[in-house]
Amino acid sequence: MTTNYKTVRLFSKLKKRVGNYFFQKELLNNKSIRKRRIINFTDAKNIGVLYSFSDEEEYKIVNEYIKKWQDENKKVQSIGFFNSKRIPHYFIQKLSCDLITKANYNWYGKPTSKFVEPFISEPFDILVDFSLKNNFTLQYISGLSQSGFKIGSFDSGNSNYYDLMFKNNETTDLRDYIHQILYYLNSLNN
């Protein structure tokens, strides 16, 4: 059992290294294209949302905000991440909402779905990643995104992907985290 555990850990480290190598290579090619700009939430018209969820409650919380923003005439596109090969029964397929499952990324975590490239190329006013924990597949999308203003969770390694980061911990509630982000986004002056 110990040998098997060591093999899994070794393979996991290899996956991470290979993934980061290819990701950093793509990031270098991408940096010169993106036009950074700070924009408050009120002025944003086009919003990209990334999130990971593990249950129906988390899914509903994020979609509640997406629906609210769409009702405010904001164009919102989202990509959710669900760590399973199967799409959960409660996920509702919509034109503006896509889902990545284990079947939609390669062995080291690079997303392979057709909808990822257009999402990355879209120059959103704001791209916000509501994931409470680092997720390589969503970081890949965030890092390469052409969004003017990128927001995500604080981690020393995330400074390459996000323009504004928010600290959270193991006890952070998703709804509170979203409220914190929106509070600061609404307070920004251009």
Side-chain angles (χ1 to χ4, degrees):
M1 183 125 165
T2 308
T3 306
N4 193 23
Y5 176 73
K6 286 180 182 179
T7 304
V8 169
R9 276 184 43 123
L10 186 64
F11 184 69
S12 181
K13 284 182 181 181
L14 176 66
K15 257 181 19 176
K16 192 173 186 174
R17 275 201 165 134
V18 170
N20 280 326
Y21 171 79
F22 286 114
F23 182 38
Q24 294 305 318
K25 200 170 171 181
E26 286 191 59
L27 270 176
L28 285 173
N29 294 333
N30 193 38
K31 282 203 181 213
S32 61
I33 303 169
R34 180 174 169 240
K35 293 182 176 111
R36 287 184 180 193
R37 64 190 181 284
I38 295 175
I39 186 167
N40 63 35
F41 191 75
T42 307
D43 295 336
K45 296 189 180 5
N46 190 7
I47 301 169
V49 176
L50 297 171
Y51 63 101
S52 65
F53 63 98
S54 56
D55 59 37
E56 189 171 3
E57 182 61 28
E58 290 176 338
Y59 171 75
K60 284 182 176 180
I61 289 171
V62 173
N63 277 282
E64 174 185 310
Y65 286 96
I66 290 172
K67 172 133 179 44
K68 181 181 173 220
W69 300 333
Q70 288 171 332
D71 291 345
E72 294 172 3
N73 293 320
K74 295 185 185 299
K75 180 183 172 195
V76 183
Q77 282 183 263
S78 68
I79 295 179
F81 179 91
F82 187 67
N83 196 20
S84 173
K85 282 195 174 187
R86 293 181 176 222
I87 296 173
H89 70 278
Y90 50 83
F91 180 79
I92 301 167
Q93 188 70 41
K94 301 175 198 164
L95 284 175
S96 62
C97 299
D98 291 302
L99 181 66
I100 293 176
T101 63
K102 284 184 175 182
N104 306 113
Y105 56 88
N106 69 13
W107 68 275
Y108 62 81
K110 178 181 176 178
T112 57
S113 297
K114 291 183 269 183
F115 55 79
V116 170
E117 200 55 47
F119 188 92
I120 287 172
S121 300
E122 182 68 33
F124 296 110
D125 295 325
I126 296 173
L127 173 73
V128 60
D129 183 349
F130 287 135
S131 303
L132 293 173
K133 295 178 181 166
N134 284 340
N135 178 308
F136 179 78
T137 303
L138 296 181
Q139 284 176 327
Y140 189 94
I141 296 168
S142 294
L144 296 176
S145 172
Q146 295 303 304
S147 299
F149 192 34
K150 300 181 198 180
I151 299 152
S153 65
F154 176 80
D155 184 277
S156 58
N158 286 349
S159 62
N160 292 327
Y161 320 123
Y162 304 120
D163 302 312
L164 180 62
M165 295 184 287
F166 291 87
K167 201 166 198 151
N168 64 60
N169 57 41
E170 294 296 319
T171 62
T172 301
D173 174 70
L174 179 60
R175 191 176 298 278
D176 291 339
Y177 182 64
I178 293 172
H179 279 288
Q180 178 186 9
I181 291 171
L182 293 177
Y183 173 79
Y184 283 99
L185 277 178
N186 284 319
S187 301
L188 289 174
N189 292 322
N190 285 339

